[in-house]
Amino acid sequence: MRIQTGFEITYDCPAPVPMMLTLSVHPSRRGDLETPDWVRTDPPLDVRQYLDGFGNICSRVLAPAGRLTLSADFVIRDSGLVDDHAPDAPQIPVQDLPDDVLIFLLGSRYCETDRLSDMAWTLFQDTPTGWGRVQAIVDYVHNHIRFDYQHARPTKTAYEAHAEAVGVCRDYAHLAIAFCRCMNIPARYCTGYLGDIGVPTIGVMDFSAWFEVYLGDRWYAFDARNNRPRIGRVLIARGRDAVDVAIANTFGQANLAGFKVIAYDLPEAA
């Protein structure tokens, strides 16, 4: 499968402002790119890239005063297969987890395990361990939160998402991640492209949030908002929560003036 993918984001900046961007395809998917995913700027700017502590590609720019448009437009190949399904994947005891996985058991800015631990154990202690427990968490979060863009805000935490029972894909992911961590299941936040491939069109395209859990000897993708296997996830970044994978951190005033994301399947090349 070939997926046409990209974005166009416009800011109005009253004064020059440094920006840190997380908009490039994750290193694990770069071998699938048919065309480059370069971050373009209008006006042209120097773009310097580096790998952050989670292995994501970040870009640094100094935006001038005035209007700045960031964009990319590329084609990436995908297997066309739905998310992996492994109902027998076991939960690994904490003492046997790899060292680099342990950080994804800890509370973080948007995933307050300390505030949700008692609730998590009350809700999920009687569920089967491993895959079955994660699926029970996903089912609960999917049914508990009502999706509504009008209730999105950048400060909403997992605890608040549960209390308000409404939010967007990042809120579903944060709550599911927090519950998994409370139950000693490593979970990490993912952001990327997820077009309406193989499912009915569900609205205006945006970057998507899902999460991964460590079961057996590997990570598996779960999606509490959609709660169904999906085709064509294109990963941009992973981290503890949305703090680590924000598409843009601006160190000064930058007013969002335009936002467009695309991801749709193309015919196979002749």
Side-chain angles (χ1 to χ4, degrees), residues 138-155:
V138 169
D139 290 342
Y140 176 87
V141 173
H142 177 77
N143 292 324
H144 182 78
I145 296 179
R146 176 175 58 85
F147 186 88
D148 190 339
Y149 272 119
Q150 301 303 312
H151 290 268
R153 67 176 185 273
T155 60

Side-chain angles (χ1 to χ4, degrees), residues 24-33 36-38 49 57 76:
S24 298
V25 170
H26 192 266
S28 63
R29 295 298 307 270
R30 301 201 69 76
D32 298 322
L33 288 168
D37 68 332
W38 295 319
Q49 293 189 326
I57 299 174
I76 188 167

Side-chain angles (χ1 to χ4, degrees), residues 30-199:
R30 301 201 69 76
D32 298 322
L33 288 168
E34 283 193 7
T35 58
D37 68 332
W38 295 319
V39 177
R40 301 189 299 263
T41 67
D42 181 17
L45 302 174
D46 289 332
V47 179
R48 182 168 71 82
Q49 293 189 326
Y50 68 97
L51 286 179
D52 70 9
F54 295 96
N56 306 312
I57 299 174
C58 299
S59 302
R60 297 179 63 176
V61 300
L62 176 60
R67 176 153 290 195
L68 170 66
T69 297
L70 307 166
S71 63
D73 187 13
F74 59 94
V75 176
I76 188 167
R77 294 197 66 84
D78 188 80
S79 68
L81 301 175
V82 298
D83 299 327
D84 287 343
H85 183 71
D88 295 327
Q91 182 171 336
I92 304 301
V94 172
Q95 65 270 22
D96 296 328
L97 288 168
D99 295 342
D100 61 347
V101 170
L102 293 176
I103 191 173
F104 299 107
L105 284 175
L106 306 180
S108 56
R109 164 69 177 85
Y110 291 108
C111 301
E112 317 102 310
T113 53
D114 55 339
R115 302 187 74 185
L116 290 164
S117 182
D118 288 347
M119 183 190 303
W121 280 96
T122 298
L123 289 170
F124 306 114
Q125 64 181 336
D126 294 327
T127 59
T129 60
W131 188 279
R133 179 162 289 173
V134 177
Q135 188 58 59
I137 290 170
V138 169
D139 290 342
Y140 176 87
V141 173
H142 177 77
N143 292 324
H144 182 78
I145 296 179
R146 176 175 58 85
F147 186 88
D148 190 339
Y149 272 119
Q150 301 303 312
H151 290 268
R153 67 176 185 273
T155 60
K156 186 183 292 187
T157 67
Y159 182 87
E160 292 169 338
H162 186 273
E164 297 170 22
V166 64
V168 292
C169 58
R170 63 177 262 159
D171 302 312
Y172 288 80
H174 283 149
L175 183 56
I177 287 168
F179 279 150
C180 285
R181 292 177 184 172
C182 290
M183 304 306 294
N184 297 329
I185 302 170
R188 63 189 184 187
Y189 186 95
C190 300
T191 187
Y193 300 92
L194 180 60
D196 298 325
I197 300 173
V199 298

